[in-house]
Amino acid sequence: MVMSVLAALFGLVPYGIVYLFSIEILERPTDNPNIFILYAGIAFLAIVLKGICYKLSSDFAHQAAFDILYDIRIALAEQLTKLPLGYFDTHDTGKIKVSMNEDVEQLEEGIAHLIPDITTGFSIPILTFLAMFLLDWRMAIAALLIIPLLGLFYTNVMKKMKPLVPRQIEVGGLIPIAVLRYIYGMKVIRVFSQSEKAFEEYATIVQKAADLSVEIEKETLEGKTIL
C-alpha cells in the first residue's frame, strides 16, 4: 500500500512540473535554459520512480495473493479428504472443481489488483486536492463540487444493478460447471450419442449469460456514459 501511495505521488509530479514551466514562461521569462532542463530531469526521474514503485507494489500484492490462494486450496483439499463418499454422489463434481479453482481464483483479483488500485484511487484525489488548495482554494472547492454529482450518478447505476446482480452471479457460476460437465462427460456423450443434447444444454446457458450481459449494459448505459 505504501508503494501504491508513492507511485501516485510520483505520478503527480510531472503535472506540477508543467505548472512550473507555465510560470517560468508566462510570468517570469528567463534566458537561462538550465531551469527547464532541471524541471525536465525532475519530471523524468519522477516517472521512473513511479514505475519502480508501481512494479514493487504489484509484486508484493501478487506474492501475497498467491500465498493466500495456495493456503486456501490446500485447506480445501484437506477438507475434501475428510468428507464421506456419499457427499460426492449428491454434489456435482464440476461444482466442486469450480469452487476450488474459479471461486478461489477470484480472490486473487481482489488481493493483487483491487487493493493496490483502491489505494492509488484514493491517494490521487487526496493529493490532487491538497495541491489545489495550496495553489488556489477556490479552484479546489469548485473541483470538490463535482464529487456529489458523481455520487448521484453512481448510486443510480448501482440501484439499477441491484436486482440483476443475483442473476449475474447465478449464471456466472453455471457456465464453468456446464463447460466441465461437457468436457469430462465427452466419452459418455459419444457412446450414447447424446452430443447434440449435451451441446444444446451448454449453448442454452451461454445464451442466457449473453442475454443477461446485454440487459445489464442497457440498464446501466446512461449512468456509465455520464460517469
Side-chain angles (χ1 to χ4, degrees):
M1 292 179 66
V2 175
M3 289 299 170
S4 297
V5 175
L6 289 176
L9 179 61
F10 287 127
L12 294 176
V13 171
Y15 297 100
I17 295 298
V18 171
Y19 170 76
L20 294 177
F21 261 107
S22 303
I23 295 295
E24 292 292 337
I25 294 173
L26 300 176
E27 294 189 4
R28 49 173 186 265
T30 178
D31 295 329
N32 183 13
N34 292 331
I35 189 68
F36 298 107
I37 296 174
L38 175 63
Y39 287 160
I42 294 173
F44 177 76
L45 179 62
I47 293 172
V48 172
L49 290 175
K50 175 190 174 182
I52 293 173
C53 290
Y54 185 81
K55 177 67 166 55
L56 291 174
S57 173
S58 179
D59 288 346
F60 293 153
H62 278 84
Q63 184 62 50
F66 292 138
D67 288 343
I68 293 172
L69 263 59
Y70 173 81
D71 292 338
I72 292 175
R73 286 192 172 116
I74 291 297
L76 288 174
E78 291 177 351
Q79 187 64 30
L80 286 176
T81 62
K82 300 176 183 178
L83 295 174
L85 293 177
Y87 177 87
F88 300 96
D89 292 333
T90 57
H91 291 76
D92 195 299
T93 305
K95 189 173 183 179
I96 296 174
K97 290 181 178 179
V98 168
S99 297
M100 293 193 66
N101 293 318
E102 304 292 336
D103 293 346
V104 174
E105 190 67 27
Q106 290 180 6
L107 295 175
E108 187 267 343
E109 179 71 23
I111 299 171
H113 298 279
L114 288 182
I115 292 178
D117 290 345
I118 289 174
T119 304
T120 304
F122 275 105
S123 301
I124 290 177
I126 292 173
L127 294 172
T128 302
F129 285 129
L130 287 175
M132 285 184 178
F133 273 111
L134 292 175
L135 295 174
D136 190 336
W137 63 270
R138 293 165 296 183
M139 180 174 61
I141 292 176
L144 285 172
L145 292 176
I146 300 175
I147 295 178
L149 295 176
L150 293 177
L152 289 175
F153 290 119
Y154 182 78
T155 303
N156 183 46
V157 171
M158 290 297 101
K159 185 178 180 181
K160 292 181 178 180
M161 276 289 297
K162 188 175 181 179
L164 299 174
V165 169
R167 291 169 55 193
Q168 187 181 29
I169 295 174
E170 179 186 359
V171 173
L174 290 175
I175 291 178
I177 293 174
V179 172
L180 289 172
R181 185 182 297 168
Y182 183 76
I183 293 175
Y184 286 101
M186 191 67 70
K187 294 181 180 179
V188 178
I189 291 171
R190 288 179 177 176
V191 169
F192 293 97
S193 301
Q194 297 292 316
S195 58
E196 183 176 345
K197 180 181 178 182
F199 184 78
E200 183 179 353
E201 293 176 355
Y202 168 68
T204 300
I205 294 175
V206 173
Q207 186 60 49
K208 186 184 294 185
D211 293 340
L212 180 59
S213 297
V214 172
E215 184 180 353
I216 290 174
E217 290 301 319
K218 286 182 178 179
E219 289 292 331
T220 60
L221 181 61
E222 181 181 352
K224 287 180 178 179
T225 303
I226 295 173
L227 288 173

